[in-house]
Amino acid sequence: MGAVEIAVIVIVAVAFAGVAGWLIYRKVKHKGGCAGCDCGCGGGASCPHCKNADKK
């Protein structure tokens, strides 16, 4: 294996870990998603949390 192949593997692995970490951080911190209840669902109309928040 050459230096280029090793560099590509390292870059892809770091990028994957970064994206996975960012998604986990957003899930843990409840960032984004439904504005009505902040449940992180993406604001879908079928979300039971959003329906309950709208009724209150």
Side-chain angles (χ1 to χ4, degrees):
M1 223 193 265
V4 174
E5 289 91 1
I6 293 172
V8 168
I9 291 171
V10 169
I11 290 169
V12 169
V14 168
F16 178 79
V19 169
W22 178 68
L23 291 173
I24 291 169
Y25 171 79
R26 283 180 38 129
K27 185 69 172 175
V28 168
K29 293 296 181 180
H30 304 289
K31 299 282 183 184
C34 183
C37 64
D38 195 29
C39 68
C41 67
S46 62
C47 173
H49 300 110
C50 295
K51 289 180 183 177
N52 291 339
D54 290 339
K55 290 179 183 176
K56 291 181 181 179

